[in-house]
Amino acid sequence: MNDVSSAMGRNRTELVGRTEELARLCGKLQDARTGHGGLCLVAGATGIGKTRLARELAERAAGDAFDVLWATCDDSPAAPAYHPWIDILRALLALRGGLAGTKPYGPFDLLVGSSPALAETAESPAVPASTLEAERLRFELFAAVARALRVAATERSLVVVLDDAHTADVGSLLLLRHAAHALHHSRVLMVATVRAAESRLAQHGQAVLADLADVSETVLLDGWDLDELRSFLRPEFPEGVPARLLEVVYQLTRGNPLFVEGVSRTLRERGDVVLADGFPLEVRLPDGLRTVLRGRLDPLSGEARKVLDCIAVAGRHGAAPLVAEIAAMELAAVVDHANEAVGARVLLAPERVGGVYRFAHPLIREIVHADLPGTRRQALHRRAAIAIQQAQAPALDEHASAIAHHYIESSSRGDADAAVAFARKAAEWATARCAYEEAAHQVRRALATLPDDDVEERCALLVALGEAHLRAGHVARAHEICREASLLAREIGAAELLARATLARSGEAVRKSNLNRRYWQPLLKAAGLEGTRFHDLRHTCATLLLLANVH
């Protein structure tokens, strides 16, 4: 191996460059200390160093008497609604031993409850009956979260980091937007890393992400310039970095740190390349970031790769004990093989004993999961569903989205009923916490999994989907879905479902001449009350209220 290959092959963890960007962020730290917090977005392309810069800021903040709360967002369908905020609020709860200044409020208590006992004693709100009621409940939830952070920061200033925020659920982004407004004059600095011009969110989520730029200061990261690239190489070339080497690497990578790693690997592996003036000229960048990152996997042992497969499947539940259940391995063996992957910079070490293993870059997880043979992937997902059910038995509802996801991915006809049941539980969990977009997403998953012959359940899910869209403020979409549900309910004679679908369409423009024919008469027929006049309904309702002692 030549000197250039050896020099570029060594691991580096120190921050390279980013002097101006870090200074701006440190300036925001001082602003927050004096009561002028708010939101900073750290934006840039994949591999540009957003997380590394945020970690540098977090380390400096911790050393400067700030409390730091960090959450990594996850775009996996297994992640529950508000998952980064749940992590942040529960970390704050553990850090401070309580959330001073907060008052009992159903959705907030359910969100931060760190034990089943807390969740059981929380006052569950009534399911909102209208879009306005849903908006009010969600506003109160967001206000409660912002208030908890504001009050906590009066004791000791806070830095709140949402890493990979572009992968967060819509509810989490809406909460971030609210907090950016509410905490502008507070001792809370929020930092969100986002992948520039790249998001897997649906259109509504992308619009919310774009809105964040209007309520934040954006720090945009580009690739290293020549001086920063020279700084990266200088420790290995004390007499000066050769100009030709600098030119080749910069032309191939444009200073993207992950691409620099790819070139580094190529130089290491091609010690026999044709040299001119002592340096390689015919070096090509690997075909994209996936090839660069896949190169990290190559040196790993077969057993380590098996453990990685299980961690990729487990996602947010990738702590060693659960991975051991999925892999059918001894716990000690799982830890040893995972540590091998940590050493290869494929995994990040857990932040605490028994904590979750995370991949060093989200794309590595995608690569590992995508490379799994279909039958093995399905089997591992089924094992994950069973393992999570057993491990989280006291709090199944919170983990329902993950269990549903794993049953769906198992692609087993026998697991379809369980997948639908847990997806419905996840939707109910999300609705109770005002995450209406997530509730709609979970119902859609249930619909996609439901066997074709279960017509009544399909009708019920359509009604639930329409109601979720209505609460989220997607009125036109809600009415469209509820029209479909009404037709199906009428066809199968499901009176209650027909009534719910009709109520969910309230507010839709209806011609007076169609009211009786399209809505009233079908409801009466489904309920077995043909011949009842609309006028009679008022008197019946009044009588029932009087009998219930309601005056």
Side-chain angles (χ1 to χ4, degrees), residues 386-409:
I386 295 170
I388 295 171
Q389 279 182 264
Q390 294 172 344
Q392 303 297 340
L396 275 183
D397 286 356
E398 180 177 338
H399 302 276
S401 61
I403 298 169
H405 166 70
H406 291 303
Y407 274 132
I408 290 170
E409 289 295 312

PDB file of all heavy atoms in Angstrom, residues 386-409:
ATOM      1  N   ILE A 386     -43.377 -10.497  17.024  1.00  0.00           N
ATOM      2  CA  ILE A 386     -43.631 -11.322  18.208  1.00  0.00           C
ATOM      3  C   ILE A 386     -42.770 -10.864  19.383  1.00  0.00           C
ATOM      4  O   ILE A 386     -43.243 -10.773  20.524  1.00  0.00           O
ATOM      5  CB  ILE A 386     -43.369 -12.807  17.873  1.00  0.00           C
ATOM      6  CG1 ILE A 386     -44.376 -13.285  16.815  1.00  0.00           C
ATOM      7  CG2 ILE A 386     -43.437 -13.676  19.118  1.00  0.00           C
ATOM      8  CD1 ILE A 386     -44.058 -14.650  16.238  1.00  0.00           C
ATOM      9  N   ALA A 387     -41.508 -10.551  19.109  1.00  0.00           N
ATOM     10  CA  ALA A 387     -40.592 -10.139  20.180  1.00  0.00           C
ATOM     11  C   ALA A 387     -41.040  -8.827  20.818  1.00  0.00           C
ATOM     12  O   ALA A 387     -40.979  -8.668  22.042  1.00  0.00           O
ATOM     13  CB  ALA A 387     -39.172 -10.017  19.629  1.00  0.00           C
ATOM     14  N   ILE A 388     -41.488  -7.871  19.996  1.00  0.00           N
ATOM     15  CA  ILE A 388     -41.941  -6.585  20.546  1.00  0.00           C
ATOM     16  C   ILE A 388     -43.211  -6.775  21.352  1.00  0.00           C
ATOM     17  O   ILE A 388     -43.388  -6.173  22.417  1.00  0.00           O
ATOM     18  CB  ILE A 388     -42.153  -5.561  19.419  1.00  0.00           C
ATOM     19  CG1 ILE A 388     -40.818  -5.235  18.743  1.00  0.00           C
ATOM     20  CG2 ILE A 388     -42.777  -4.267  19.949  1.00  0.00           C
ATOM     21  CD1 ILE A 388     -40.947  -4.394  17.488  1.00  0.00           C
ATOM     22  N   GLN A 389     -44.121  -7.622  20.876  1.00  0.00           N
ATOM     23  CA  GLN A 389     -45.346  -7.901  21.642  1.00  0.00           C
ATOM     24  C   GLN A 389     -45.008  -8.448  23.023  1.00  0.00           C
ATOM     25  O   GLN A 389     -45.622  -8.056  24.028  1.00  0.00           O
ATOM     26  CB  GLN A 389     -46.215  -8.913  20.896  1.00  0.00           C
ATOM     27  CG  GLN A 389     -47.064  -8.312  19.792  1.00  0.00           C
ATOM     28  CD  GLN A 389     -47.930  -9.366  19.123  1.00  0.00           C
ATOM     29  OE1 GLN A 389     -47.579  -9.922  18.106  1.00  0.00           O
ATOM     30  NE2 GLN A 389     -49.070  -9.643  19.731  1.00  0.00           N
ATOM     31  N   GLN A 390     -44.037  -9.334  23.083  1.00  0.00           N
ATOM     32  CA  GLN A 390     -43.672  -9.926  24.366  1.00  0.00           C
ATOM     33  C   GLN A 390     -42.945  -8.925  25.260  1.00  0.00           C
ATOM     34  O   GLN A 390     -43.222  -8.833  26.460  1.00  0.00           O
ATOM     35  CB  GLN A 390     -42.799 -11.161  24.129  1.00  0.00           C
ATOM     36  CG  GLN A 390     -43.539 -12.303  23.432  1.00  0.00           C
ATOM     37  CD  GLN A 390     -42.617 -13.441  23.036  1.00  0.00           C
ATOM     38  OE1 GLN A 390     -41.387 -13.289  23.003  1.00  0.00           O
ATOM     39  NE2 GLN A 390     -43.203 -14.593  22.730  1.00  0.00           N
ATOM     40  N   ALA A 391     -42.038  -8.152  24.662  1.00  0.00           N
ATOM     41  CA  ALA A 391     -41.229  -7.232  25.459  1.00  0.00           C
ATOM     42  C   ALA A 391     -42.024  -6.018  25.932  1.00  0.00           C
ATOM     43  O   ALA A 391     -41.726  -5.449  26.980  1.00  0.00           O
ATOM     44  CB  ALA A 391     -40.016  -6.778  24.650  1.00  0.00           C
ATOM     45  N   GLN A 392     -43.021  -5.601  25.155  1.00  0.00           N
ATOM     46  CA  GLN A 392     -43.758  -4.371  25.458  1.00  0.00           C
ATOM     47  C   GLN A 392     -45.203  -4.667  25.858  1.00  0.00           C
ATOM     48  O   GLN A 392     -46.076  -3.812  25.664  1.00  0.00           O
ATOM     49  CB  GLN A 392     -43.740  -3.448  24.223  1.00  0.00           C
ATOM     50  CG  GLN A 392     -42.356  -3.087  23.739  1.00  0.00           C
ATOM     51  CD  GLN A 392     -41.563  -2.292  24.757  1.00  0.00           C
ATOM     52  OE1 GLN A 392     -42.124  -1.692  25.671  1.00  0.00           O
ATOM     53  NE2 GLN A 392     -40.251  -2.264  24.586  1.00  0.00           N
ATOM     54  N   ALA A 393     -45.444  -5.823  26.419  1.00  0.00           N
ATOM     55  CA  ALA A 393     -46.818  -6.214  26.762  1.00  0.00           C
ATOM     56  C   ALA A 393     -47.540  -5.183  27.622  1.00  0.00           C
ATOM     57  O   ALA A 393     -48.742  -4.946  27.424  1.00  0.00           O
ATOM     58  CB  ALA A 393     -46.803  -7.572  27.453  1.00  0.00           C
ATOM     59  N   PRO A 394     -46.882  -4.496  28.580  1.00  0.00           N
ATOM     60  CA  PRO A 394     -47.620  -3.512  29.391  1.00  0.00           C
ATOM     61  C   PRO A 394     -48.017  -2.249  28.629  1.00  0.00           C
ATOM     62  O   PRO A 394     -48.849  -1.487  29.116  1.00  0.00           O
ATOM     63  CB  PRO A 394     -46.615  -3.165  30.510  1.00  0.00           C
ATOM     64  CG  PRO A 394     -45.595  -4.249  30.493  1.00  0.00           C
ATOM     65  CD  PRO A 394     -45.508  -4.671  29.069  1.00  0.00           C
ATOM     66  N   ALA A 395     -47.396  -1.999  27.473  1.00  0.00           N
ATOM     67  CA  ALA A 395     -47.672  -0.748  26.747  1.00  0.00           C
ATOM     68  C   ALA A 395     -47.791  -1.026  25.253  1.00  0.00           C
ATOM     69  O   ALA A 395     -47.130  -0.396  24.430  1.00  0.00           O
ATOM     70  CB  ALA A 395     -46.563   0.268  27.011  1.00  0.00           C
ATOM     71  N   LEU A 396     -48.659  -1.980  24.921  1.00  0.00           N
ATOM     72  CA  LEU A 396     -48.763  -2.400  23.528  1.00  0.00           C
ATOM     73  C   LEU A 396     -49.230  -1.280  22.608  1.00  0.00           C
ATOM     74  O   LEU A 396     -48.783  -1.190  21.465  1.00  0.00           O
ATOM     75  CB  LEU A 396     -49.719  -3.588  23.398  1.00  0.00           C
ATOM     76  CG  LEU A 396     -49.134  -4.979  23.634  1.00  0.00           C
ATOM     77  CD1 LEU A 396     -50.189  -6.032  23.386  1.00  0.00           C
ATOM     78  CD2 LEU A 396     -47.917  -5.216  22.745  1.00  0.00           C
ATOM     79  N   ASP A 397     -50.154  -0.434  23.088  1.00  0.00           N
ATOM     80  CA  ASP A 397     -50.722   0.587  22.206  1.00  0.00           C
ATOM     81  C   ASP A 397     -49.649   1.518  21.654  1.00  0.00           C
ATOM     82  O   ASP A 397     -49.685   1.887  20.478  1.00  0.00           O
ATOM     83  CB  ASP A 397     -51.778   1.407  22.948  1.00  0.00           C
ATOM     84  CG  ASP A 397     -53.068   0.617  23.152  1.00  0.00           C
ATOM     85  OD1 ASP A 397     -53.134  -0.519  22.643  1.00  0.00           O
ATOM     86  OD2 ASP A 397     -53.981   1.125  23.808  1.00  0.00           O
ATOM     87  N   GLU A 398     -48.698   1.913  22.499  1.00  0.00           N
ATOM     88  CA  GLU A 398     -47.647   2.816  22.034  1.00  0.00           C
ATOM     89  C   GLU A 398     -46.792   2.163  20.961  1.00  0.00           C
ATOM     90  O   GLU A 398     -46.259   2.845  20.086  1.00  0.00           O
ATOM     91  CB  GLU A 398     -46.767   3.250  23.206  1.00  0.00           C
ATOM     92  CG  GLU A 398     -45.644   4.188  22.793  1.00  0.00           C
ATOM     93  CD  GLU A 398     -44.812   4.663  23.966  1.00  0.00           C
ATOM     94  OE1 GLU A 398     -45.315   4.628  25.107  1.00  0.00           O
ATOM     95  OE2 GLU A 398     -43.669   5.068  23.737  1.00  0.00           O
ATOM     96  N   HIS A 399     -46.651   0.864  21.008  1.00  0.00           N
ATOM     97  CA  HIS A 399     -45.808   0.141  20.057  1.00  0.00           C
ATOM     98  C   HIS A 399     -46.631  -0.527  18.958  1.00  0.00           C
ATOM     99  O   HIS A 399     -46.089  -1.324  18.187  1.00  0.00           O
ATOM    100  CB  HIS A 399     -44.969  -0.893  20.806  1.00  0.00           C
ATOM    101  CG  HIS A 399     -44.098  -0.290  21.868  1.00  0.00           C
ATOM    102  ND1 HIS A 399     -42.854   0.244  21.595  1.00  0.00           N
ATOM    103  CD2 HIS A 399     -44.318  -0.097  23.189  1.00  0.00           C
ATOM    104  CE1 HIS A 399     -42.334   0.726  22.715  1.00  0.00           C
ATOM    105  NE2 HIS A 399     -43.199   0.532  23.691  1.00  0.00           N
ATOM    106  N   ALA A 400     -47.908  -0.184  18.878  1.00  0.00           N
ATOM    107  CA  ALA A 400     -48.785  -0.832  17.901  1.00  0.00           C
ATOM    108  C   ALA A 400     -48.342  -0.566  16.472  1.00  0.00           C
ATOM    109  O   ALA A 400     -48.435  -1.450  15.613  1.00  0.00           O
ATOM    110  CB  ALA A 400     -50.227  -0.361  18.101  1.00  0.00           C
ATOM    111  N   SER A 401     -47.854   0.652  16.192  1.00  0.00           N
ATOM    112  CA  SER A 401     -47.432   0.952  14.817  1.00  0.00           C
ATOM    113  C   SER A 401     -46.262   0.076  14.402  1.00  0.00           C
ATOM    114  O   SER A 401     -46.186  -0.391  13.256  1.00  0.00           O
ATOM    115  CB  SER A 401     -47.056   2.429  14.676  1.00  0.00           C
ATOM    116  OG  SER A 401     -45.974   2.766  15.531  1.00  0.00           O
ATOM    117  N   ALA A 402     -45.331  -0.173  15.331  1.00  0.00           N
ATOM    118  CA  ALA A 402     -44.187  -1.032  15.018  1.00  0.00           C
ATOM    119  C   ALA A 402     -44.636  -2.469  14.803  1.00  0.00           C
ATOM    120  O   ALA A 402     -44.200  -3.140  13.854  1.00  0.00           O
ATOM    121  CB  ALA A 402     -43.161  -0.965  16.145  1.00  0.00           C
ATOM    122  N   ILE A 403     -45.509  -2.957  15.682  1.00  0.00           N
ATOM    123  CA  ILE A 403     -45.974  -4.345  15.541  1.00  0.00           C
ATOM    124  C   ILE A 403     -46.749  -4.519  14.238  1.00  0.00           C
ATOM    125  O   ILE A 403     -46.559  -5.503  13.502  1.00  0.00           O
ATOM    126  CB  ILE A 403     -46.842  -4.727  16.754  1.00  0.00           C
ATOM    127  CG1 ILE A 403     -46.012  -4.640  18.039  1.00  0.00           C
ATOM    128  CG2 ILE A 403     -47.406  -6.137  16.586  1.00  0.00           C
ATOM    129  CD1 ILE A 403     -46.828  -4.743  19.307  1.00  0.00           C
ATOM    130  N   ALA A 404     -47.624  -3.547  13.922  1.00  0.00           N
ATOM    131  CA  ALA A 404     -48.362  -3.607  12.655  1.00  0.00           C
ATOM    132  C   ALA A 404     -47.403  -3.625  11.474  1.00  0.00           C
ATOM    133  O   ALA A 404     -47.564  -4.405  10.522  1.00  0.00           O
ATOM    134  CB  ALA A 404     -49.314  -2.421  12.549  1.00  0.00           C
ATOM    135  N   HIS A 405     -46.403  -2.757  11.514  1.00  0.00           N
ATOM    136  CA  HIS A 405     -45.426  -2.685  10.425  1.00  0.00           C
ATOM    137  C   HIS A 405     -44.748  -4.033  10.208  1.00  0.00           C
ATOM    138  O   HIS A 405     -44.619  -4.503   9.063  1.00  0.00           O
ATOM    139  CB  HIS A 405     -44.387  -1.614  10.748  1.00  0.00           C
ATOM    140  CG  HIS A 405     -43.158  -1.670   9.889  1.00  0.00           C
ATOM    141  ND1 HIS A 405     -43.177  -1.334   8.550  1.00  0.00           N
ATOM    142  CD2 HIS A 405     -41.870  -2.037  10.161  1.00  0.00           C
ATOM    143  CE1 HIS A 405     -41.964  -1.486   8.037  1.00  0.00           C
ATOM    144  NE2 HIS A 405     -41.166  -1.907   8.992  1.00  0.00           N
ATOM    145  N   HIS A 406     -44.315  -4.667  11.286  1.00  0.00           N
ATOM    146  CA  HIS A 406     -43.595  -5.933  11.135  1.00  0.00           C
ATOM    147  C   HIS A 406     -44.515  -7.040  10.624  1.00  0.00           C
ATOM    148  O   HIS A 406     -44.101  -7.864   9.794  1.00  0.00           O
ATOM    149  CB  HIS A 406     -42.951  -6.323  12.461  1.00  0.00           C
ATOM    150  CG  HIS A 406     -41.814  -5.423  12.856  1.00  0.00           C
ATOM    151  ND1 HIS A 406     -40.718  -5.209  12.054  1.00  0.00           N
ATOM    152  CD2 HIS A 406     -41.623  -4.664  13.969  1.00  0.00           C
ATOM    153  CE1 HIS A 406     -39.887  -4.377  12.647  1.00  0.00           C
ATOM    154  NE2 HIS A 406     -40.415  -4.018  13.809  1.00  0.00           N
ATOM    155  N   TYR A 407     -45.756  -7.056  11.077  1.00  0.00           N
ATOM    156  CA  TYR A 407     -46.685  -8.059  10.556  1.00  0.00           C
ATOM    157  C   TYR A 407     -46.987  -7.806   9.072  1.00  0.00           C
ATOM    158  O   TYR A 407     -47.121  -8.756   8.292  1.00  0.00           O
ATOM    159  CB  TYR A 407     -47.985  -8.056  11.367  1.00  0.00           C
ATOM    160  CG  TYR A 407     -47.928  -8.920  12.607  1.00  0.00           C
ATOM    161  CD1 TYR A 407     -48.356  -8.427  13.839  1.00  0.00           C
ATOM    162  CD2 TYR A 407     -47.460 -10.234  12.549  1.00  0.00           C
ATOM    163  CE1 TYR A 407     -48.314  -9.218  14.984  1.00  0.00           C
ATOM    164  CE2 TYR A 407     -47.409 -11.022  13.680  1.00  0.00           C
ATOM    165  CZ  TYR A 407     -47.830 -10.509  14.896  1.00  0.00           C
ATOM    166  OH  TYR A 407     -47.781 -11.303  16.025  1.00  0.00           O
ATOM    167  N   ILE A 408     -47.104  -6.540   8.698  1.00  0.00           N
ATOM    168  CA  ILE A 408     -47.337  -6.221   7.285  1.00  0.00           C
ATOM    169  C   ILE A 408     -46.150  -6.672   6.437  1.00  0.00           C
ATOM    170  O   ILE A 408     -46.317  -7.276   5.372  1.00  0.00           O
ATOM    171  CB  ILE A 408     -47.600  -4.716   7.111  1.00  0.00           C
ATOM    172  CG1 ILE A 408     -48.963  -4.341   7.714  1.00  0.00           C
ATOM    173  CG2 ILE A 408     -47.554  -4.314   5.634  1.00  0.00           C
ATOM    174  CD1 ILE A 408     -49.199  -2.851   7.812  1.00  0.00           C
ATOM    175  N   GLU A 409     -44.941  -6.398   6.922  1.00  0.00           N
ATOM    176  CA  GLU A 409     -43.743  -6.764   6.167  1.00  0.00           C
ATOM    177  C   GLU A 409     -43.521  -8.268   6.122  1.00  0.00           C
ATOM    178  O   GLU A 409     -42.824  -8.765   5.237  1.00  0.00           O
ATOM    179  CB  GLU A 409     -42.517  -6.089   6.784  1.00  0.00           C
ATOM    180  CG  GLU A 409     -42.461  -4.591   6.575  1.00  0.00           C
ATOM    181  CD  GLU A 409     -42.312  -4.229   5.106  1.00  0.00           C
ATOM    182  OE1 GLU A 409     -41.445  -4.813   4.431  1.00  0.00           O
ATOM    183  OE2 GLU A 409     -43.091  -3.373   4.628  1.00  0.00           O
TER     184      GLU A 409
END
